[in-house]
């Protein structure tokens, strides 16, 4: 394993080096939080694919393939569908808003009265997403280096927190590009063909496994529908995803770059399911389906290649973890802490990107949130339930007011706030009644949120005409910061973040 360890150590050292390099570029709030809104199509596509394809998509996707066959691709497939929907229908408008958080968008649309409540919900979601990712890569460290769980969490957590705190979104973008390349080579170009060959090819796989393993709907229609509600819709509204949209240098980049990333996710989904199906042929009696990925990597891959594929798994998890961490810190600082201190968030105008103070403040919040994530990860055991709670709250509470605000001009602030409250409390109560992992909470919670949003919006006065006019100007790219403002000679964005 010495060669494999060397590959992984070089990879981790490279992540820290990227963090140091990113620190030299992040001189303003816009540079630190959204990479100066200057990413082109190539880098945007790679980083977007990296953020959405985490440990659940890699290790979990292979595990679902082991358990259900080709239909195990549906979880990751619905993530790809959500990213495609976001990119084609909404990303251009989102990018033109020139904001930093989802809550700032809600403030713009509804007149400055929806931000803090939605910020708390979004903060809880991003925090738990970071925690579950931290536990996932700590598990990989545990397998690789045979250290206890706490040491593994601290080791992995310190690396992610270090490069995220140093350079913010620039560091995370650079590391995500490396992680995207490593995942592509390790999983798609190496592990996938090797697994199929070792299993005897597709003909042998079909001969050895039941026919339902090759049924595209074998996992069940209700499960697929639930995946769509949670993951496809979750992709439309998550702060971690939107913050990457904000990094695009133009609405065209956001649309086409995201479409490429979404298509990549669909391919990645099928690859994971095929690898898991091949693992079922080779190891039919594994104690846990989630062990399929590590088992096939450890037993079937040659030295060096094995290290690269394990680095690919580590890359998948670390990219999601770092993206969730900066999203959590951004929401905590901009949507919650500044409001609690009585500082107006400027309605998401994008102004006030002071070169030093705001960077230091956001850097401090990443460090604080990172330490909190490490401590919670050490204390928490059932990460599946925690992540389910987070996604249910996110989709049940925020999907309707966000999509409603983008599509329906009659939606009001009262309707949005009511939808967040009723949807959030509904999913909490229904999870208590039916169980955290049940499907009913998200079904009924969404319906309750939608009904309340429509009824309350129609029963209350329409949103002020001036607010809607300002909203339309921003959607058209004409309001807020000047999109034609020149960059500084150094190449950094202007203080307005453009």
């Amino acid at each position: 394993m010495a060669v494999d360890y060397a590959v992984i150590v070089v990879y981790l050292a490279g992540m820290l080096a990227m963090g140091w390099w990113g620190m030299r570029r992040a001189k303003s709030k816009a540079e630190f939080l959204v990479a100066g809104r200057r990413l082109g199509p190539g880098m945007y596509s790679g980083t977007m694919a990296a953020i959405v394809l985490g440990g659940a998509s890699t290790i979990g996707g292979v595990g679902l393939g082991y358990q259900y066959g080709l239909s195990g691709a549906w979880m990751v497939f619905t993530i790809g569908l959500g990213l495609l929907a976001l990119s084609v229908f909404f990303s251009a408008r989102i990018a033109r808003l020139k904001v930093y958080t989802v809550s700032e968008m809600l403030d713009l649309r509804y007149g400055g009265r929806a931000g803090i409540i939605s910020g708390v919900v979004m903060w809880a979601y991003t925090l738990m997403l970071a925690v579950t990712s931290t536990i996932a890569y700590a598990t990989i460290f545990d397998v690789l280096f045979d250290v206890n769980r706490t040491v593994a969490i601290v080791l992995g957590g310190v690396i992610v927190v270090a490069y995220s705190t140093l350079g913010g979104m620039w560091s995370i973008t650079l590391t995500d590009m490396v992680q995207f390349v490593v995942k592509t080579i390790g999983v798609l170009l190496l592990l996938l063909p090797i697994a199929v060959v070792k299993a005897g090819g597709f003909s042998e796989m079909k001969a050895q496994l039941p026919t339902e393993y090759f049924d595209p709907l074998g996992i069940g229609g209700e499960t697929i529908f639930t995946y769509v509600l949670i993951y496809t819709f979750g992709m439309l509204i998550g702060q971690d995803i939107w913050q990457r949209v904000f990094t695009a240098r133009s609405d065209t980049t956001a649309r086409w770059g995201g479409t490429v990333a979404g298509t990549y996710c669909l391919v990645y989904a099928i690859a994971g399911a095929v690898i898991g199906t091949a693992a079922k042929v080779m190891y039919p009696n594994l104690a846990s389906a989630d062990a399929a990925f590590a088992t096939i990597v450890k037993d079937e891959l040659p030295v060096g290649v094995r290290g690269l594929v394990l680095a690919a798994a580590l890359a998948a998890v670390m990219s999601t973890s770092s993206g969730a961490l900066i999203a959590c810190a951004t929401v905590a600082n901009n949507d919650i802490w500044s409001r609690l201190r009585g500082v107006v968030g400027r309605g998401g105008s994008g102004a006030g990107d002071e070169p030093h103070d705001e960077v230091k403040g956001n850097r401090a919040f990443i460090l604080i949130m990172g330490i909190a994530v490490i401590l919670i990860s050490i204390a928490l055991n059932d990460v599946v339930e925690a992540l389910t709670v987070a996604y249910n709250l996110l989709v049940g509470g925020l999907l309707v007011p966000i999509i409603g605000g983008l599509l329906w001009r009659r939606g009001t602030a009262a309707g949005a706030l009511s939808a967040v409250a009723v949807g959030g409390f509904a999913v909490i109560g229904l999870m208590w009644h039916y169980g955290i992992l049940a499907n009913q909470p998200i079904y009924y919670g969404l319906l309750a949120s939608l009904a309340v949003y429509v009824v309350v919006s129609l029963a209350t006065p329409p949103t002020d005409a001036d607010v809607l006019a300002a909203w339309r100007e921003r959607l058209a790219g004409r309001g807020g910061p000047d999109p034609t403002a020149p960059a500084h000679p150094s190449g950094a964005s202007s203080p307005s973040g453009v």
Side-chain angles (χ1 to χ4, degrees):
M1 293 289 287
V3 175
D4 298 323
Y5 289 156
V7 171
I8 295 166
V9 169
V10 168
Y11 164 75
L12 294 175
M15 296 300 99
L16 292 175
M18 293 290 183
W20 181 262
W21 190 88
M23 181 177 66
R24 304 182 65 176
R25 298 200 62 161
K27 301 300 184 183
S28 69
K29 180 180 178 181
E31 294 282 351
F32 191 82
L33 293 181
V34 291
R37 309 188 195 276
R38 293 193 287 125
L39 297 191
M43 186 167 284
Y44 179 86
S45 297
T47 58
M48 183 62 86
I51 180 66
V52 301
L53 295 174
S57 301
T58 303
I59 299 172
V62 171
L64 287 172
Y66 183 90
Q67 189 172 0
Y68 298 104
L70 298 185
S71 67
W74 273 107
M75 183 188 75
V76 183
F77 205 83
T78 56
I79 290 174
L81 292 177
L83 186 52
L84 284 172
L86 174 69
S87 302
V88 173
F89 299 112
F90 302 110
S91 63
R93 283 182 283 178
I94 292 170
R96 288 196 292 264
L97 290 174
K98 303 297 184 192
V99 296
Y100 293 106
T101 67
V102 175
S103 296
E104 287 181 18
M105 168 264 170
L106 291 173
D107 274 351
L108 276 171
R109 169 59 181 82
Y110 295 110
R113 289 180 286 169
I116 192 165
I117 296 177
S118 61
V120 170
V121 175
M122 191 65 74
W123 173 79
Y125 157 73
T126 52
L127 179 70
M128 296 315 302
L129 183 61
V131 166
T132 54
S133 300
T134 300
I135 294 174
Y137 63 66
T139 302
I140 297 173
F141 274 109
D142 188 13
V143 172
L144 290 176
F145 302 114
D146 194 25
V147 295
N148 69 55
R149 181 176 181 273
T150 299
V151 173
I153 287 173
V154 173
L155 175 62
V158 164
I159 292 172
V160 171
V161 172
Y163 73 71
S164 301
T165 302
L166 285 173
M169 185 59 81
W170 267 123
S171 294
I172 293 171
T173 296
L174 295 170
T175 55
D176 277 356
M177 280 304 299
V178 175
Q179 291 159 352
F180 171 74
V181 172
V182 170
K183 281 191 289 189
T184 300
I185 295 173
V187 175
L188 297 185
L189 301 184
L190 293 176
L191 183 57
L192 174 60
I194 290 174
V196 172
V197 170
K198 292 284 187 178
F202 285 104
S203 58
E204 183 65 19
M205 290 163 61
K206 287 184 177 181
Q208 293 288 334
L209 297 173
T211 56
E212 54 263 30
Y213 264 71
F214 302 91
D215 179 359
L217 303 179
I219 198 170
E222 184 177 357
T223 299
I224 295 171
F225 182 64
T226 302
Y227 284 159
V228 170
L229 285 183
I230 294 178
Y231 297 113
T232 300
F233 288 140
M235 288 295 105
L236 298 180
I237 59 175
Q239 169 67 24
D240 51 326
I241 309 302
W242 277 41
Q243 198 155 345
R244 297 310 175 97
V245 176
F246 301 151
T247 66
R249 71 182 178 202
S250 68
D251 52 5
T252 302
T253 296
R255 181 185 295 113
W256 291 109
T259 300
V260 171
T263 304
Y264 179 90
C265 292
L266 303 183
V267 174
Y268 201 88
I270 296 171
V274 171
I275 293 168
T277 304
K280 183 67 175 180
V281 173
M282 291 183 279
Y283 310 98
N285 299 311
L286 290 178
S288 169
D290 285 340
F293 180 88
T295 302
I296 196 171
V297 169
K298 180 183 289 186
D299 293 350
E300 303 298 336
L301 299 186
V303 172
V305 173
R306 180 171 51 202
L308 182 60
V309 173
L310 288 172
L314 198 57
V317 180
M318 293 179 80
S319 59
T320 299
S321 179
S322 58
L325 177 59
I326 193 171
C328 178
T330 302
V331 170
N333 188 18
N334 291 271
D335 293 336
I336 300 175
W337 177 243
S338 65
R339 296 167 194 261
L340 293 177
R341 292 174 58 211
V343 177
V344 178
R346 299 180 183 90
S349 67
D353 293 341
E354 293 84 358
H356 300 293
D357 292 344
E358 296 231 33
V359 171
K360 289 180 181 179
N362 283 289
R363 184 174 280 138
F365 264 86
I366 291 180
L367 180 60
I368 293 168
M369 291 297 104
I371 293 172
V373 165
I374 292 173
L375 294 176
I376 295 171
S377 300
I378 292 172
L380 197 63
N381 289 319
D382 200 332
V383 296
V384 175
E385 290 194 354
L387 191 59
T388 300
V389 171
Y391 264 105
N392 282 351
L393 281 173
L394 174 71
V395 177
L398 292 181
L399 177 68
V400 170
I402 291 173
I403 301 301
L406 289 169
L407 299 179
W408 190 40
R409 63 175 298 170
R410 187 59 180 82
T412 65
L417 290 171
S418 300
V420 173
V422 171
F425 282 118
V427 294
I428 291 173
L430 291 166
M431 283 189 291
W432 178 81
H433 178 72
Y434 288 104
I436 290 176
L437 299 180
N439 293 327
Q440 289 90 338
I442 192 62
Y443 295 167
Y444 301 145
L446 260 180
L447 289 174
S449 179
L450 177 60
V452 168
Y453 179 72
V454 172
V455 170
V456 174
S457 292
L458 292 176
T460 52
T463 304
D464 186 85
D466 290 338
V467 172
L468 286 178
W471 167 251
R472 287 194 295 270
E473 286 291 301
R474 293 292 288 273
L475 280 179
R478 295 189 294 267
D482 177 14
T484 64
H488 291 314
S490 65
S493 292
S494 65
S496 65
V498 182

